[in-house]
Amino acid sequence: AQSVTQLGSHVSVSEGALVLLRCNYSSSVPPYLFWYVQYPNQGLQLLLKYTTGATLVKGINGFEAEFKKSETSFHLTKPSAHMSDAAEYFCAVSGYTGQFYFGTGTSLTVIP
Amino acid sequence: GAVVSQHPSRVICKSGTSVKIECRSLDFQATTMFWYRQFPKQSLMLMATSNEGSKATYEQGVEKDKFLINHASLTLSTLTVTSAHPEDSSFYICSVRPSGNTEAFFGQGTRLTVV
C-alpha cells in the first residue's frame, strides 16, 4: 500500500523567506516521489521527482526536495519565496503500476 | 505542448443528465490511463484505472455503474458521469504514464458543475 501525508494544510511565508513544505510517505515498494503545483482551476504541473539515484532533487522555479529513506520523508524547499509561488502543492507517491496517490495538499501563501 | 488533452475544460449540466469527458494521449500510446477526482479544497483521489480493450478497475467506493469508463483506443479514454447529481460536481483529471516512464502526464482537468 502507498500513501502520502502532508503536514500543514496552510503555510504562510514572507516574500524572500524560506519555503518548507513537509511530506512523509508510506510505501511497501521502492517509491517514486513527486511534488506538483496546482494553480486555481488548472491541472497539475510537475515541480520535481525522485525515482532513483541522487537523493537531493532539483526542480523548476528554484524548488528542491531531499529523499530521506530513514525518515520516509520528501520535504520540498525553496530558499527564497516569490509572490508567484502562491499556489496549492501536492506531494505524491507512485509505484510500478502508474497509479498516483496524493497527499491532501498544502496551500502556500506568500506575504509581501 | 500538451501531452494529455482533456475535453471539455468546463461543463454545466442539469441534474439527471449524463456528461462525457474525453482524455486523449497526444504523444504516447496508452494502454492504461487513470481518472482522478478533486473536490474543492481537497486532494486528488484516484477513481479508476482505464485499460485499453478491457474493463476499467475502480477504486473502492467508486460506483462503476455511475462512472462509465471506455478505453476503446490507445489514445482515448472517456469518462461518462451518468445521471449526474449536484454532489458529482467536481474537478476531474486524467493522466497517462507512458510505458518506461516514471512520470505521469496530467490533463488540464474538467470542471463539472451539476445544477
Side-chain angles (χ1 to χ4, degrees):
Chain A
Q2 297 172 304
S3 67
V4 168
T5 301
Q6 287 182 244
L7 297 176
S9 58
H10 292 88
V11 171
S12 293
V13 300
S14 297
E15 189 174 16
L18 171 72
V19 176
L20 171 61
L21 305 183
R22 300 179 185 273
C23 172
N24 288 87
Y25 71 91
S26 173
S27 179
S28 56
V29 297
Y32 301 142
L33 293 162
F34 305 80
W35 275 99
Y36 286 88
V37 62
Q38 185 182 36
Y39 296 97
N41 290 312
Q42 294 187 28
L44 301 175
Q45 180 181 8
L46 179 67
L47 284 176
L48 48 79
K49 65 178 180 179
Y50 169 80
T51 54
T52 60
T55 55
L56 181 62
V57 180
K58 294 186 184 297
I60 63 171
N61 301 337
F63 286 94
E64 63 181 38
E66 185 171 9
F67 170 63
K68 292 187 177 181
K69 185 177 180 180
S70 61
E71 299 177 7
T72 60
S73 69
F74 191 58
H75 302 330
L76 180 71
T77 61
K78 181 174 180 177
S80 177
H82 192 273
M83 295 298 294
S84 61
D85 294 328
E88 190 81 18
Y89 292 80
F90 292 98
C91 182
V93 63
S94 177
Y96 306 128
T97 60
Q99 298 162 327
F100 276 61
Y101 297 93
F102 290 86
T104 49
T106 298
S107 177
L108 176 66
T109 300
V110 181
I111 303 167
Chain B
V3 176
V4 179
S5 176
Q6 259 185 262
H7 178 80
S9 58
R10 292 177 177 269
V11 58
I12 301 173
C13 71
K14 291 184 177 181
S15 186
T17 62
S18 295
V19 173
K20 180 185 286 188
I21 302 170
E22 293 186 347
C23 178
R24 293 184 182 275
S25 177
L26 302 180
D27 292 346
F28 304 96
Q29 292 188 327
T31 55
T32 304
M33 294 185 181
F34 304 92
W35 286 96
Y36 298 82
R37 178 170 55 184
Q38 184 182 30
F39 290 109
K41 306 292 186 184
Q42 295 187 28
S43 187
L44 288 83
M45 298 298 294
L46 180 65
M47 296 176 65
T49 302
S50 173
N51 304 300
E52 189 267 337
S54 65
K55 292 182 179 180
T57 306
Y58 291 83
E59 294 297 298
Q60 191 172 10
V62 178
E63 301 175 58
K64 62 180 181 180
D65 294 330
K66 180 170 186 62
F67 298 99
L68 301 180
I69 292 173
N70 184 278
H71 193 153
S73 78
L74 289 172
T75 58
L76 175 64
S77 175
T78 60
L79 169 68
T80 301
V81 183
T82 63
S83 186
H85 289 103
E87 56 265 33
D88 298 324
S89 298
S90 187
F91 195 55
Y92 293 86
I93 303 177
C94 68
S95 79
V96 171
R97 193 178 84 166
S99 178
N101 276 41
T102 54
E103 178 183 349
F105 298 93
F106 290 83
Q108 65 267 49
T110 298
R111 171 71 62 191
L112 170 63
T113 303
V114 184
V115 297

